[in-house]
């Protein structure tokens, strides 16, 4: 960028920051007025109880006026806050690459919010309802604010028909580079038709940039807690969903530019380690020098649990080992570390295969922090004695189940470590948003953790806490997924089976005769691990799903195989035409993406929704929306490719014409699909 242009951007950026500071001061002023009005309202309410009826009526009128004024002030504050975010976004966009796919829904929301505020200024914070149109005959999007506005106006004593309200909104609408036209339907719905020129410009810039850049959004520090296996136990199918869902959410948030800390909150502390070490002292006396393999450790753990339940002398020894562990006895700690190291290596092997990144923060990490937390909660009066335990209620005491912070024997619980984790993540990591990815059965636990954390002000209004729950994995018999012998399926065995099935599928298609050994191996891993991930992510996480290798390896329908193949085919079009990326970019000096044909425009509009899909997932953390979006792209591309020739050949198979505008559209499609795959953790290959 030239120096004069850079100076202009710097001046604009500084001006925007100055505007933000002024808006902040105005918000502070309005908040003071809100507080003053609230105080006055409280005082007047107190007076109502002691004054006579006539005076009460006067004060009631005054209170109503103050409440109306408060509503208007709150509305003004909301507008100012949105303006600040808009200024920040504009400032960011003006000083960085402009080739970003905007959120069409947010842009339309802003356009119609302005029009509705202008048409009906008497309605504070009016409802803005923008939805994609179900039928292209009725536009690309719809503004469905008319009916809720009609209800509000009726409550204010104004009777207007839906048509009259819609007409008033459209009258106040100012032209936009996004909108071709507006049409009012009979029921008052406003149909919105997008401009093709907007699509052409946006997608052409996307291809020119060579990268699908993330949209502008306010950056946060986010801690996401997922996977979380237990030391001395092998990872099994029960860890699959947390690991895959958590990784994909982390990928999406990292792509959006957030500072994401991926935490593996492993079970590496507590009574079970006292049991295991006491058992190893009897059965594996060399445990201080070398730890048994993970499979043996799991067997030893089961044996130790049986002895703990049945042998009183062993139970006492196990508790003594726990006391020594918590006191950091050198020998006990050494044995414990060796056990943890064996498990870590096993975990990491699986994480490497699935391309998962995590930072370990086991329960042991919070041991000292738990002691500090208990002292603080006790000192501040948040703990209650209950039959020898110390418990803590949430914001509504007596409702639900309290947390057990200290057991009757003085030990800590999962409740204690989870509260200590909240404190550490908020105070030490400075997190704005805490995300926990566990099975749906723990939802009540995390609701209680959040409620208690808010009660003692560990979490404040600026923090967000989300529990990402999920249903269990079922076998094809619709029962909990297990081996034929009734054992839990090991995750390593599941991945191995996936590799075997993927190779078998490739050989059935005789790909082993076309691909090199290296290409075949890459395709095998891409299909195996991609299918396992996608089969999980394409289902609504709140529901159970049936695990079936046969279905996930199908090359038709919404499967990873179909999508990976679709991308490979799209990428092959330019190669078949002998058009390099450099040639494609050179042609863009005189040509642009074409969206004239209805199938071109249909595909283009789907691609333009990319940012809306990401923002939706940021709100609900449900990744099946992204999978459905990928499938929608692939299907729309097939329709486009069938109707719109990118490369025309004669009967002899010779290329006679190349439509560069359509090749550009294919390139844009491939770029967005590749970015979606990266967020889902899929690894496409050049040849399949």
């Amino acid at each position: 960028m030239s120096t004069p242009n850079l100076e202009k951007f710097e001046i604009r950026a500084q001006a925007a920051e100055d505007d933000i500071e002024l808006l902040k001061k105005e918000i502070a002023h309005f908040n003071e007025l809100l507080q003053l009005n609230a105080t006055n309202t409280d005082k007047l309410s107190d007076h109502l109880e002691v004054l006579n009826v006539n005076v009460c009526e006067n004060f009631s009128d005054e209170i109503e006026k103050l409440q109306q004024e408060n509503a208007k002030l709150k509305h003004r504050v909301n507008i100012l806050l949105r303006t600040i975010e808009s200024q920040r976004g504009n400032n960011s966009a003006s000083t960085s690459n402009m080739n970003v796919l905007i959120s069409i829904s947010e842009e339309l929301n802003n356009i119609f919010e302005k029009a509705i505020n202008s048409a009906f200024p008497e309605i504070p914070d009016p409802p803005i309802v923008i939805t994609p149109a179900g039928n292209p005959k009725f536009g690309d999007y719809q503004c469905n604010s008319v009916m809720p506005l009609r209800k509000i106006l009726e409550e204010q004593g104004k009777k207007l028909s839906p048509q009259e309200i819609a007409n008033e909104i459209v009258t106040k609408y100012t032209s936009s580079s996004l909108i071709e036209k507006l049409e009012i339907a009979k029921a008052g719905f406003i149909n919105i038709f997008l401009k093709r020129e907007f699509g052409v410009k946006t997608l052409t810039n996307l291809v020119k940039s060579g990268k699908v850049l993330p949209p502008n959004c306010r950056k946060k520090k986010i801690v996401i807690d997922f996977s979380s296996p237990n030391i001395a136990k092998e990872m099994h199918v029960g860890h699959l969903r947390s690991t895959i869902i958590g990784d994909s959410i982390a990928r999406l948030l990292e792509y959006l530019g957030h500072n994401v800390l991926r935490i593996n909150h492993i079970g590496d502390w507590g009574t079970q380690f006292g049991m295991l070490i006491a058992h190893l002292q009897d059965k594996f006396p060399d445990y201080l020098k070398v730890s048994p393999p993970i499979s043996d450790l799991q067997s030893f753990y089961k044996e130790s649990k049986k002895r703990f339940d049945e042998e009183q002398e062993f139970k006492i020894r196990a508790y003594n080992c726990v006391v020594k562990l918590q006191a950091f006895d050198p020998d006990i700690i050494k044995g414990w570390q060796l056990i943890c190291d064996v498990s870590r290596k096993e975990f990491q092997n699986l994480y490497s295969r699935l391309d998962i990144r995590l930072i370990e923060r086991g329960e042991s990490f919070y041991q000292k922090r738990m002691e500090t937390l208990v002292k603080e909660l006790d000192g501040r009066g948040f703990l209650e004695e209950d039959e020898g335990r110390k418990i803590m209620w949430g914001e509504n005491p007596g409702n639900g189940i309290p947390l057990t912070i200290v057991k009757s024997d003085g030990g800590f619980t999962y409740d204690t470590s989870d509260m200590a984790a909240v404190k550490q993540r908020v105070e030490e990591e400075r997190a704005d948003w805490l995300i926990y990815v566990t099975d749906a059965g723990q939802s009540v636990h995390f609701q209680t953790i959040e409620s208690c954390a808010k009660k003692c002000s560990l979490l404040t209004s600026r923090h967000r806490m989300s529990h990402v729950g999920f249903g269990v994995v079922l076998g094809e018999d619709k029962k909990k997924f297990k081996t034929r012998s009734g054992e839990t399926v090991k995750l390593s065995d599941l991945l191995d089976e996936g590799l075997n099935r993927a190779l078998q599928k490739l050989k059935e298609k005789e790909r082993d005769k076309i691909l090199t050994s290296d290409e075949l191996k890459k395709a095998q891993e891409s299909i195996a691990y991609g299918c396992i991930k996608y089969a999980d992510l394409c289902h609504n996480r709140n529901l159970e799903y049936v695990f079936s290798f046969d279905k996930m390896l199908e090359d038709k329908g919404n499967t990873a195989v179909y999508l990976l193949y679709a991308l490979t085919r799209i990428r092959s079009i330019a190669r078949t035409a002998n058009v390099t990326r450099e040639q494609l970019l050179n042609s863009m000096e005189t040509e642009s993406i074409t969206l004239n044909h209805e199938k071109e425009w249909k595909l283009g509009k789907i691609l333009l929704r990319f940012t809306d899909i990401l923002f939706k997932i940021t709100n609900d953390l449900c990744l099946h929306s992204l999978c459905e979006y990928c499938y929608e792209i692939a299907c729309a591309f097939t329709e486009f490719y069938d109707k719109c020739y990118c490369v025309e050949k004669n009967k002899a198979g010779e290329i006679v014409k190349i439509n560069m505008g359509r090749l550009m559209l294919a390139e844009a499609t491939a770029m967005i699909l590749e970015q979606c795959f990266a967020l889902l953790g899929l690894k496409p290959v050049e040849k399949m």
Side-chain angles (χ1 to χ4, degrees):
M1 185 183 288
S2 64
T3 304
N5 281 338
L6 181 59
E7 289 175 355
K8 287 179 183 178
F9 280 126
E10 288 174 346
I11 291 169
R12 285 167 63 187
Q14 185 57 54
E17 286 299 324
D18 292 343
D19 288 343
I20 287 171
E21 289 305 314
L22 288 171
L23 288 167
K24 282 181 178 176
K25 289 177 182 177
E26 194 170 351
I27 283 176
H29 171 65
F30 278 119
N31 279 328
E32 286 176 7
L33 288 175
L34 282 170
Q35 189 173 1
L36 180 61
N37 277 340
T39 302
N40 287 340
T41 301
D42 290 340
K43 288 180 179 177
L44 288 166
S45 295
D46 292 340
H47 281 304
L48 283 172
E49 295 179 6
V50 295
L51 293 178
N52 62 48
V53 174
N54 292 331
V55 178
C56 283
E57 289 174 355
N58 292 334
F59 275 122
S60 295
D61 292 340
E62 188 65 24
I63 286 175
E64 188 174 346
K65 289 178 183 177
L66 285 169
Q67 287 172 337
Q68 289 174 354
E69 188 178 347
N70 262 11
K72 290 178 181 178
L73 287 169
K74 286 177 181 176
H75 175 53
R76 179 63 178 156
V77 167
N78 287 331
I79 291 174
L80 289 169
L81 287 170
R82 282 195 290 267
T83 304
I84 282 182
E85 291 302 318
S86 175
Q87 288 280 16
R88 283 186 174 136
N90 292 337
N91 184 20
S92 175
S94 66
T95 55
S96 63
N97 198 316
M98 296 294 291
N99 300 321
V100 174
L101 291 171
I102 66 166
S103 168
I104 294 175
S105 291
E106 281 197 1
E107 190 68 23
L108 292 175
N109 194 86
N110 293 336
I111 289 168
F112 279 90
E113 181 179 38
K114 184 178 178 182
I116 292 171
N117 278 326
S118 179
F120 303 103
E122 69 273 24
I123 300 178
D125 201 15
I128 315 296
V129 185
I130 305 293
T131 60
N135 188 326
K137 283 198 311 183
F138 305 123
D140 303 310
Y141 289 81
Q142 287 182 327
C143 175
N144 298 336
S145 298
V146 170
M147 297 311 287
L149 283 171
R150 187 188 186 194
K151 185 178 179 181
I152 295 170
L153 289 167
E154 283 180 350
E155 289 171 355
Q156 294 180 352
K158 300 172 186 175
K159 290 193 175 182
L160 293 175
S161 70
Q163 283 277 345
E164 289 172 322
I165 297 170
N167 281 325
E168 193 64 27
I169 294 170
V170 171
T171 301
K172 298 299 182 181
Y173 154 74
T174 54
S175 63
S176 163
S177 61
L178 193 65
I179 298 174
E180 178 68 37
K181 64 177 180 177
L182 301 176
E183 288 181 355
I184 300 173
K186 287 183 179 179
F189 301 114
I190 302 172
N191 299 330
I192 306 163
F193 294 81
L194 299 181
K195 276 187 180 176
R196 296 194 189 212
E197 292 85 347
F198 159 74
V200 168
K201 183 178 179 181
T202 302
L203 295 175
T204 300
N205 286 341
L206 172 72
V207 175
K208 282 182 180 178
S209 70
K211 188 176 182 181
V212 184
L213 297 171
N216 297 310
C217 63
R218 186 180 175 188
K219 305 301 184 280
K220 296 179 180 179
K221 176 65 180 288
I222 302 171
V223 174
I224 177 165
D225 180 327
F226 66 100
S227 193
S228 307
N230 290 314
I231 293 293
K233 295 181 182 178
E234 292 184 88
M235 288 181 71
H236 54 78
V237 70
H239 297 107
L240 185 67
R241 301 210 74 183
S242 175
T243 304
I244 290 173
I245 295 169
D247 175 65
S248 194
I249 291 173
R251 286 171 182 265
L252 187 147
L253 296 172
E254 287 162 349
Y255 172 68
L256 291 174
H258 298 293
N259 182 358
V260 179
L261 182 60
R262 298 156 163 253
I263 293 294
N264 198 9
H265 188 93
I266 64 170
D268 68 345
W269 203 250
T271 305
Q272 64 267 35
F273 288 95
M275 291 165 20
L276 181 57
I277 290 171
H279 187 63
L280 288 175
Q281 288 171 346
D282 296 338
K283 301 291 183 179
F284 199 85
D286 287 339
Y287 78 98
L288 290 177
K289 298 177 183 177
V290 58
S291 184
I294 186 71
S295 57
D296 289 348
L297 270 179
Q298 183 151 323
S299 297
F300 284 140
Y301 175 80
K302 289 179 180 177
E303 292 169 10
S304 71
K305 180 68 171 69
K306 189 172 185 297
R307 291 183 69 187
F308 186 84
D309 292 338
E310 296 175 358
E311 301 175 24
Q312 185 62 28
E313 185 274 333
F314 178 81
K315 190 172 189 175
I316 294 169
R317 279 179 53 210
Y319 273 131
N320 286 336
C321 287
V322 175
V323 172
K324 289 180 180 179
L325 179 65
Q326 293 177 341
F328 295 91
D329 176 274
D331 281 349
I332 299 294
I333 286 292
K334 185 178 180 182
W336 169 76
Q337 287 175 335
L338 284 171
I339 294 168
C340 290
D341 287 343
V342 170
S343 292
R344 282 192 194 100
K345 288 176 185 175
E346 181 70 18
F347 298 159
Q348 190 52 52
N349 176 47
L350 293 168
Y351 292 143
S352 296
R353 292 175 72 175
L354 290 169
D355 192 24
I356 308 289
R357 292 180 293 105
L358 279 160
I359 293 173
E360 183 184 307
R361 290 272 177 82
E363 289 169 4
S364 60
F365 176 82
Y366 302 100
Q367 179 63 23
K368 294 295 183 184
R369 291 172 174 82
M370 284 191 274
E371 295 171 8
T372 303
L373 173 78
V374 171
K375 288 178 183 176
E376 287 183 8
L377 293 177
D378 213 5
R380 294 171 62 193
F382 288 115
L383 301 185
E384 292 181 18
E385 292 286 340
D386 180 68
E387 298 181 354
R389 300 181 303 157
K390 289 188 177 181
I391 62 171
M392 180 178 181
W393 292 97
E395 293 174 297
N396 298 309
N399 289 340
I401 302 169
L403 297 181
T404 299
I405 301 298
V406 182
K407 295 190 293 184
S408 57
D409 62 5
F412 299 147
T413 67
Y414 290 126
D415 296 346
T416 326
S417 62
D418 280 343
M419 283 292 285
V422 171
K423 179 178 171 62
Q424 190 275 335
R425 293 166 187 182
V426 168
E427 295 181 356
E428 297 179 41
E429 305 296 348
R430 312 300 296 172
D432 304 298
W433 187 4
L434 307 180
I435 302 174
Y436 297 85
V437 186
T438 75
D439 64 271
Q442 297 189 50
S443 60
V444 173
H445 168 72
F446 283 105
Q447 287 170 12
T448 309
I449 290 289
E450 182 178 9
S451 181
C452 288
K454 286 179 177 178
K455 183 177 182 179
C456 63
S457 301
L458 284 179
L459 295 177
T460 65
S461 58
R462 80 172 187 85
H463 298 107
R464 178 180 173 186
M465 179 171 162
S466 303
H467 176 236
V468 179
F470 51 81
V472 299
V473 182
L474 304 176
E476 294 191 65
D477 59 359
K478 305 293 176 68
K479 295 178 182 178
K480 205 167 182 179
F481 194 27
K482 293 184 180 293
T483 64
R484 288 180 181 176
S485 61
E487 295 292 315
T488 302
V489 178
K490 296 177 185 177
L491 194 51
S492 58
D493 291 345
L494 190 75
L495 299 185
D496 290 342
E497 178 68 11
L499 285 173
N500 292 334
R501 297 253 192 159
L503 183 60
Q504 182 183 341
K505 193 79 173 178
L506 288 164
K507 287 182 175 179
E508 284 174 8
K509 301 284 185 181
E510 298 188 335
R511 307 310 293 172
D512 55 319
K513 297 177 181 178
I514 299 170
L515 303 175
T516 66
S517 59
D518 186 53
E519 289 170 343
L520 185 65
K521 185 174 185 294
K522 285 181 178 177
Q524 177 191 16
E525 292 179 349
S526 172
I527 291 171
Y529 302 148
C531 284
I532 290 170
K533 288 183 179 183
Y534 194 83
D536 190 307
L537 296 171
C538 73
H539 292 90
N540 185 324
R541 62 172 172 79
N542 295 299
L543 306 176
E544 300 171 335
Y545 83 95
V546 175
F547 189 96
S548 168
F549 274 121
D550 290 338
K551 288 183 179 178
M552 67 177 66
L553 285 166
E554 287 178 359
D555 53 10
K556 294 178 182 177
N558 189 8
T559 66
V561 176
Y562 173 73
L563 292 173
L564 288 165
Y565 175 73
L567 178 59
T568 302
R569 187 179 63 150
I570 294 167
R571 282 291 182 206
S572 71
I573 296 170
R575 286 200 306 271
T576 302
N578 296 316
V579 176
T580 65
R581 175 162 178 80
E582 185 179 359
Q583 290 172 322
L584 195 66
L585 291 175
N586 288 337
S587 71
M588 298 182 87
E589 298 296 328
T590 55
E591 297 186 56
S592 62
I593 281 177
T594 55
L595 298 177
N596 298 320
H597 193 282
E598 63 168 315
K599 297 301 181 183
E600 292 173 333
W601 184 217
K602 179 181 178 180
L603 175 59
K605 286 186 288 188
I606 292 171
L607 298 178
L608 292 170
R609 282 176 31 221
F610 174 72
T611 296
D612 282 344
I613 296 295
L614 299 193
F615 284 169
K616 177 185 181 300
I617 298 169
T618 303
N619 288 328
D620 63 22
L621 300 176
C622 288
L623 290 151
H624 67 278
S625 300
L626 187 57
C627 297
E628 290 168 358
Y629 178 65
C630 289
Y631 185 57
E632 194 176 358
I633 290 174
C635 292
F637 184 86
T638 298
E639 290 181 26
F640 151 73
Y641 192 67
D642 288 344
K643 298 292 183 182
C644 306
Y645 293 112
C646 297
V647 180
E648 294 185 32
K649 298 179 181 180
N650 60 22
K651 291 182 179 179
E654 299 167 330
I655 296 174
V656 295
K657 183 181 178 182
I658 297 174
N659 189 315
M660 297 302 285
R662 288 174 178 170
L663 277 187
M664 293 174 202
L665 183 55
E667 176 67 13
T669 304
M671 289 172 65
I672 289 178
L673 266 182
E674 282 178 342
Q675 186 55 63
C676 290
F677 286 1
L679 301 179
L680 294 168
L682 306 187
K683 287 188 174 181
V685 290
E686 191 172 311
K687 295 181 181 180
M688 279 183 69

